[in-house]
Amino acid sequence: GGGGALMVSEINHRLNKRDNINSKLLVREKSGDFNNVIEIEPTLPEKALNHVIERVFSLEGLASPRSLRFPNWINEWEIDLIHLHNIHGYYFNFLNISRVPEDVAMVWTLHDMWPLTGNCTYANGCEKYQEKCGNCTEKDEYPKLRLDMTPVLHRLKRRLFDRDYSIAVPSEWMLSHVEKSHLSKPTVHHIPNGIDVERYRPLNRQDS
């Protein structure tokens, strides 16, 4: 329902209009009846387990057992390219990143700082993510942590996310943070968000 979801839905829709491309969108919860959109909304028992793991023990991103079928889906659907967007939000276990087969290409478009930090989506001037997170001042922000598990989460991300794939960032600001982070192996591309240049263009103030 948010801007990111609408953008990814549009990408998926346009890709499937092309010949010889079969694109699938993996989401937590979908609206509408779309055969190429796969929902991994957890069952009630899984929601309870997610709550215990991610909220009580503050291991954000390490629950969602249903999503651990991800490598099976890759093989079942014969996927040769994965494009990640936001994977935080209590529906996708980030251990899956290390389980993507090496012969499957992967691109990750970063919309916030979550992949770089121990948990926060915006470091708010904190530079601990560059070395080691801990004593987090942002743990009450989304996604909230009851306990400060940022040292553990940051260490896991450093190990799991630093592999050979491509990262796309929409701004020079985000690019500067990725370059200072633990992600040294991925190839980073600065790709600004596109705009409609026919609609958004310089005009004479008197004509506007």
Side-chain angles (χ1 to χ4, degrees):
L6 294 174
M7 178 196 66
V8 174
S9 296
E10 181 67 16
I11 291 173
N12 185 56
H13 175 69
R14 292 187 180 224
L15 283 173
N16 280 307
K17 282 187 172 183
R18 300 193 176 193
D19 294 335
N20 302 318
I21 292 182
N22 180 15
S23 174
K24 295 183 183 294
L25 185 58
L26 195 62
V27 301
R28 173 176 177 166
E29 184 178 0
K30 72 176 181 179
S31 58
D33 185 19
F34 302 99
N35 292 331
N36 53 36
V37 180
I38 312 301
E39 183 179 69
I40 52 175
E41 172 72 3
T43 62
L44 286 176
E46 288 174 329
K47 286 182 179 180
L49 179 61
N50 288 353
H51 181 83
V52 171
I53 293 175
E54 301 204 15
R55 305 296 180 90
V56 177
F57 292 106
S58 298
L59 294 172
E60 200 279 324
L62 291 174
S64 309
R66 178 177 294 190
S67 74
L68 291 173
R69 296 176 55 200
F70 189 54
N72 296 335
W73 293 329
I74 293 173
N75 293 327
E76 178 184 342
W77 300 331
E78 299 180 339
I79 299 297
D80 53 19
L81 171 65
I82 294 170
H83 188 180
L84 299 173
H85 289 270
N86 281 351
I87 65 171
H88 55 77
Y90 316 114
Y91 77 102
F92 190 82
N93 192 308
F94 71 66
L95 295 177
N96 279 314
I97 303 302
S98 64
R99 304 170 71 217
V100 174
E102 292 185 358
D103 61 342
V104 176
M106 187 168 73
V107 179
W108 194 347
T109 296
L110 304 190
H111 299 282
D112 56 43
M113 294 181 67
W114 181 87
L116 314 179
T117 70
N119 187 63
C120 64
T121 58
Y122 173 57
N124 199 24
C126 175
E127 297 182 349
K128 292 178 183 178
Y129 72 92
Q130 298 176 20
E131 296 294 336
K132 179 182 178 181
C133 285
N135 297 319
C136 183
T137 60
E138 302 296 316
K139 68 183 183 70
D140 292 329
E141 301 298 327
Y142 171 83
K144 290 185 177 182
L145 296 180
R146 179 171 171 266
L147 307 172
D148 187 2
M149 297 298 291
T150 56
V152 174
L153 295 171
H154 187 250
R155 195 178 309 120
L156 279 172
K157 289 179 183 180
R158 289 181 70 130
R159 180 178 301 174
L160 300 177
F161 297 173
D162 199 24
R163 50 175 289 175
D164 185 19
Y165 61 99
S166 293
I167 287 178
V169 295
S171 67
E172 293 184 359
W173 178 87
M174 182 65 79
L175 177 64
S176 68
H177 287 292
V178 175
E179 290 175 338
K180 296 173 185 175
S181 76
H182 52 86
L183 301 181
S184 60
K185 292 181 181 178
T187 302
V188 185
H189 304 273
H190 174 213
I191 306 176
N193 291 327
I195 62 170
D196 184 348
V197 294
E198 292 298 320
R199 182 176 182 181
Y200 299 100
R201 67 187 190 280
L203 291 174
N204 189 308
R205 283 178 177 269
Q206 295 178 347
D207 297 334
S208 62

